Amino acid sequence: MRTTRVTVAALAAAAALTLTACGGEPVKPDTVTQITGQSKAGTATVLDRPFDKPELVLTDTTGKPWNLREQTKGKPTLIYFGYTNCPDVCPLTMSNIAVAKKALPKADQDKLQVVFVTTDPERDTPDSLGAWLKAQDPSFTGLTGDFATIQVAARKLGIGIEAAKKEADGSVVSMHGAQVIAFSPKTDEGYLLYGEGSTVDDYTKDLPKIIKGENP
């Protein structure tokens, strides 16, 4: 295992790769937080200073309020910020997690919480978000709501996002970082960070330990 310093610039560069794939411009470097941790090539970064779970109350796909802290307390939880109209990175990330989750024993599948927070709440209504996630895994939780509230929560987790905007060709682009944060059921802290390059195999290998709140 090697120690890696993940700086603002590095996170911005990772976000830029995602944003380019989604057709947008890079997120400004000052929108993300400096973090440090230990990583193994191609897998998770174990954070030296875990993230506190944001105080975030949004609307779920049934149209009801959903409190992130309360409803994931004591549960192994993966959180990702993205949008349903993303052509590649978002669906691939959620698909990778869905496939890896199915490899878990049924009891562990029931414990794992996967939360997808939209970065494009104007288009991602509860109904449209619910239909999109159902195709990935019906157990995944989708959240939508006020963009400013979502942006503040993302920044507290070192993830830069910008409001959706219309391009000259008429397309709408939502700019976002591509990190997945894993929260421990023991501490309720975000202690692992997965980048855009994480694969099904990475999640399949790590999820059994995340369920227990252990380092992969």
Side-chain angles (χ1 to χ4, degrees), residues 44-194:
T45 296
V46 181
L47 302 177
D48 290 336
R49 296 180 62 185
F51 291 115
D52 290 331
K53 193 173 288 180
E55 293 185 9
L56 184 63
V57 179
L58 294 171
T59 302
D60 68 13
T61 55
T62 69
K64 296 178 181 178
W66 206 88
N67 186 309
L68 178 67
R69 279 192 174 180
E70 289 184 3
Q71 293 179 251
T72 63
K73 186 176 181 179
K75 300 177 181 179
T77 303
L78 303 181
I79 296 178
Y80 180 77
F81 292 80
Y83 69 116
T84 64
N85 285 281
C86 177
D88 39 35
V89 178
C90 299
L92 177 60
T93 298
M94 300 310 289
S95 175
N96 286 346
I97 294 171
V99 172
K101 180 188 168 190
K102 289 178 182 176
L104 291 168
K106 182 62 168 61
D108 286 347
Q109 290 186 41
D110 293 341
K111 293 176 185 176
L112 182 66
Q113 293 273 303
V114 180
V115 181
F116 181 96
V117 184
T118 182
T119 60
D120 185 12
E122 279 198 29
R123 290 188 294 170
D124 285 342
T125 64
D127 286 345
S128 64
L129 182 55
W132 187 82
L133 283 174
K134 186 176 181 180
Q136 300 283 351
D137 186 312
S139 74
F140 287 178
T141 296
L143 300 179
T144 186
D146 176 66
F147 176 80
T149 301
I150 293 168
Q151 186 178 50
V152 168
R155 287 178 176 177
K156 287 180 178 178
L157 297 175
I159 298 171
I161 67 174
E162 294 294 338
K165 65 178 183 178
K166 184 172 286 189
E167 301 289 277
D169 62 1
S171 62
V172 179
V173 175
S174 177
M175 302 186 291
H176 63 91
Q179 298 82 20
V180 173
I181 308 293
F183 286 81
S184 168
K186 294 180 178 178
T187 64
D188 279 321
E189 294 180 323
Y191 73 117
L192 298 175
L193 182 149
Y194 290 86

